[in-house]
Amino acid sequence: MRNGGICMAGDFIITGGRPLSGTVRIPAAKNSVLPLLAATILCSGPVRLRNVPPLADVNTSLRLLRGAGGAACRQGGDVLVERAPTTCRLDAEAAAQMRASILFCAPLLARLGRAETVLPGGCRIGARPVDLHLSGLKALGAQCREEGERLILTAPSGLRGADITLRFPSVGATETLLLAAATAQGSTTLRGAAREPEIADLAAFLCRCGASIRGAGTSTIRVEGRRTLAGCTFAPMADRIVASTYACACAAAGGRVELTGCAPATYAPLLEILAQMGCSVECGPETAVISRFGALHGVGKVFTGVYPALATDAAPLLAAAMLTARSESSIEDVIFERRFVCAEGFAAFGGRVETAGRTLHIAPARRLSAAEVRAPDLRGGAALVIAALAAEGTSRVRETGFIDRGYADFARKLGQLGAQITREMRPVREKRKKHLQKTNFDLQSGPKDDTIQLYKCSKRNSAHCAVLR
Ligand code: EPZ
C-alpha cells in the first residue's frame, strides 16, 4: 500500500484451527469497478460509483485517469470521476501493475483518437496476451502498433461499427469491444462474447449513460453507437469471487458464516461443490449461509470454465478448502495455464498436492501445520490465507500486496469472523527512482522479472536507463 512515498509491505500472521462465525457484507466487485472506471473516459459528465472498496487496483486505476489529465477521487465510500482524461498516454508504471489497464485503451481511443500504454501487468497466471483485444479494435477501424512493451493505438477516422466474432469468450476483450463500440459510428454485433455478470454490469452502466446495448450477458451483444454519453451514478455489482473466498474460508476453518449482498446465483458452482464436500449451504436471493462442522470429503474431478461454469478465480480458493478433505479431488483450470503456482504453499502447510499441467491433484492430508509462505498472485495469496486458517499453529503469509489488489480489509473482516490474524507492517522505503528526461527514450522490455524494466536506452544519445522496482 502506498502511503506518502513509502511502499508499505506487510505479512499476515495467522493462528489457525479456529472456526469462523458471523456475517460478511460482500463489497463491490473489483472486476466490475475496474472496467467501469475505464468506461468513465467515454462520459461527458461526472460519474459517481457507489461503495467502491479501497483496493490497490482501484488506486492504480485512479492514477491512470489522473495521469492522463482526468479528475478522479474518492469521496467517502464512493469514487467520483469529474473530468475525463484529456491526453492519450497512460502512465507506464501504473499500467504495468495490473491487467485491467488494457481496458483504458479503447475508451481513450474512442474519445481522443489515440491511446498509448505499455502491455498490461497483473497476476502471472498465464501468458495473458491481448491479441483478441487488438484484433477486435482493428475490426472497428483502429490501427495498432507494438514496439516491445509499448502499445500505440490510433483511429484517424474514428471507430466504426462492425460484425465481430471472438474465437474465445475473453472477458477483457468483450469489455474492450463494448467500450469501443458504445460511441463508434454505426452498429456493432459481437458474437462469442463472454457472459460473465461483470459484462452485464458494464453494459448496464453504459446504458445508464445513454448507450444502446442489447444482449449483454449472452454470447451475442448488439450495440448501436451513440455520439456522446452522459455521466451517471451507479452501484457496481457485488464481488462473487470475494464471496467465494469467505465461503471457502468457512469450509476450511469450520463454523458458520453468512454472506450478504451478493446473489448466490453468481457463484453457484462453487457453492454446489462446497455442499458436495459436506458443507451446509442455505441460499436466499442475496444471501448464502455456509456452515461446516463435520469432516469434508473430496469430490473427484472438477473443471473451471467460462461463466456460468466454476470461475477460474475460485479454483485456488476451493483447492485450499479441499486440502483437509478425507478423500481425493482434482481441479483443472481450463482458462489459465499457471493458475496453481500456490501449490508450493499448500505443500508447505502439509497439503498433499501435485500439479500436472493445468490440473491440481489433492490427496487427503490428516491435518495442516503452520508454515511460512509467499503469496504468488492475488487469488493464490488468498488461498494460502485460507489454508493458514485451517492449519494448526501460527503461520506467516508474505507478499500481501498481491492480496491488497483484490481484498479490502481482509485481515479485519476475517478477525471479525473470529480468525486470529494480524498484519505485520514492514515499511519498505522505495528505491529512489531515477527520474529522467523521458523525451528521448523508447519503451522496451527487458526479461520479465520482478523488476519492470520500463526504459531502455535507445541507440540515440540517451545516457541512462531507468530501472523501476
Ligand atoms: C478477467 O481477466 C479477470 N480480470 C480475471 O480475474 C479472470 O480470471 C478472467 O477475466 C477470467 O474470468 C479482470 O476482470 C480485471 P480473459 P482477463 O481475457 O480479461 C486468453 C482476478 O483474480 N486471452 O477472459 O484477462 C487468456 O490468456 C483476475 O481478479 C487471449 O488469448 O481474462 C486466458 O487464457 C485474474 N487473448 C483466457 O483468454 C486475449 O486477447 C481468458 O482470459 C485475451 C485473453
Side-chain angles (χ1 to χ4, degrees):
M1 304 291 279
R2 292 182 186 290
N3 170 18
I6 295 180
C7 176
M8 300 295 284
D11 300 345
F12 283 140
I13 311 298
I14 300 158
T15 301
R18 300 157 64 104
L20 303 181
S21 171
T23 299
V24 181
R25 179 141 192 90
I26 302 301
K30 167 180 84 80
N31 292 347
S32 177
V33 166
L34 301 184
L36 293 178
L37 286 169
T40 65
I41 296 171
L42 298 171
C43 298
S44 57
V47 172
R48 179 180 293 275
L49 297 181
R50 304 307 303 263
N51 305 318
V52 174
L55 302 172
D57 277 7
V58 170
N59 294 344
T60 303
S61 300
L62 298 182
R63 276 179 64 195
L64 288 174
L65 292 173
R66 289 187 198 121
C73 63
R74 285 195 163 279
Q75 211 174 61
D78 299 348
V79 163
L80 184 60
V81 181
E82 289 191 293
R83 186 182 67 244
T86 51
T87 64
C88 65
R89 178 173 283 204
L90 291 173
D91 176 286
E93 187 197 354
Q97 283 181 8
M98 64 175 190
R99 171 75 179 180
S101 60
I102 189 70
L103 301 176
F104 288 71
C105 291
L108 271 184
L109 184 63
R111 185 180 186 95
L112 302 174
R114 186 182 177 90
E116 290 182 34
T117 187
V118 292
L119 290 177
C123 292
R124 292 198 199 129
I125 50 181
R128 306 187 82 177
V130 292
D131 57 319
L132 295 174
H133 297 247
L134 301 183
S135 56
L137 289 173
K138 286 175 189 164
L140 292 167
Q143 292 163 14
C144 309
R145 201 167 80 241
E146 283 187 54
E147 291 170 0
E149 295 286 287
R150 194 175 178 183
L151 191 58
I152 297 159
L153 306 172
T154 53
S157 44
L159 296 173
R160 294 183 177 287
D163 197 319
I164 302 169
T165 298
L166 285 174
R167 66 168 161 76
F168 178 86
S170 153
V171 171
T174 301
E175 291 164 343
T176 277
L177 297 176
L178 272 186
L179 290 166
T183 59
Q185 298 158 43
S187 309
T188 294
T189 299
L190 183 54
R191 303 178 202 282
R195 295 183 286 162
E196 275 69 4
E198 292 78 14
I199 304 290
D201 218 34
L202 174 60
F205 170 83
L206 291 167
C207 289
R208 187 169 304 177
C209 296
S212 169
I213 300 171
R214 286 175 296 122
T218 74
S219 54
T220 301
I221 303 176
R222 288 184 170 76
V223 184
E224 297 300 329
R226 292 286 182 267
R227 288 180 62 79
T228 56
L229 297 182
C232 75
T233 294
F234 190 80
M237 66 176 282
D239 196 320
R240 57 197 174 101
I241 306 303
V242 167
S244 302
T245 305
Y246 289 108
C248 291
C250 180
R256 182 181 184 280
V257 171
E258 180 181 15
L259 307 175
T260 62
C262 183
T266 61
Y267 57 115
L270 176 100
L271 293 174
E272 172 55 31
I273 294 167
L274 291 181
Q276 290 171 18
M277 289 172 64
C279 295
S280 156
V281 178
E282 301 157 75
C283 294
E286 296 278 312
T287 60
V289 179
I290 294 90
S291 40
R292 197 273 289 177
F293 296 104
L296 288 173
H297 29 266
V299 291
K301 183 92 172 156
V302 168
F303 292 89
T304 68
V306 297
Y307 195 86
L310 176 68
T312 169
D313 294 342
L317 310 170
L318 183 61
M322 290 172 162
L323 294 176
T324 55
R326 296 284 170 84
S327 48
E328 297 214 350
S329 301
S330 68
I331 306 178
E332 180 171 350
D333 186 3
V334 304
I335 307 294
F336 290 110
E337 58 273 31
R338 294 186 71 244
R339 170 59 75 181
F340 295 115
V341 178
C342 56
E344 185 184 334
F346 289 153
F349 284 110
R352 294 178 58 214
V353 295
E354 190 180 319
T355 51
R358 292 169 178 253
T359 301
L360 179 72
H361 296 280
I362 305 153
R366 290 301 301 156
R367 62 187 185 82
L368 300 181
S369 308
E372 189 167 308
V373 295
R374 192 176 289 276
D377 50 62
L378 165 55
R379 306 302 173 186
L384 293 178
V385 170
I386 291 173
L389 292 172
E392 285 166 20
T394 301
S395 301
R396 180 182 288 265
V397 179
R398 295 181 180 282
E399 303 300 339
T400 53
F402 282 114
I403 300 171
D404 292 335
R405 293 189 47 210
Y407 296 89
D409 304 325
F410 197 35
R412 185 174 63 80
K413 287 183 178 170
L414 286 172
Q416 287 172 341
L417 292 176
Q420 192 169 336
I421 176 171
T422 56
R423 186 160 190 164
E424 188 181 278
M425 298 307 282
R426 286 177 290 114
V428 176
R429 187 162 295 283
E430 278 183 301
K431 287 218 165 71
R432 207 177 70 75
K433 295 191 180 81
K434 298 174 187 164
H435 289 290
L436 298 153
Q437 186 65 28
K438 294 177 188 169
T439 47
N440 52 2
F441 280 79
D442 284 333
L443 269 176
Q444 292 168 19
S445 73
K448 270 262 187 242
D449 59 17
D450 287 346
T451 304
I452 302 167
Q453 203 164 12
L454 291 180
Y455 296 94
K456 187 175 275 184
C457 309
S458 60
K459 294 182 187 52
R460 294 197 304 268
N461 57 352
S462 314
H464 306 283
C465 285
V467 174
L468 305 176
R469 179 172 291 282

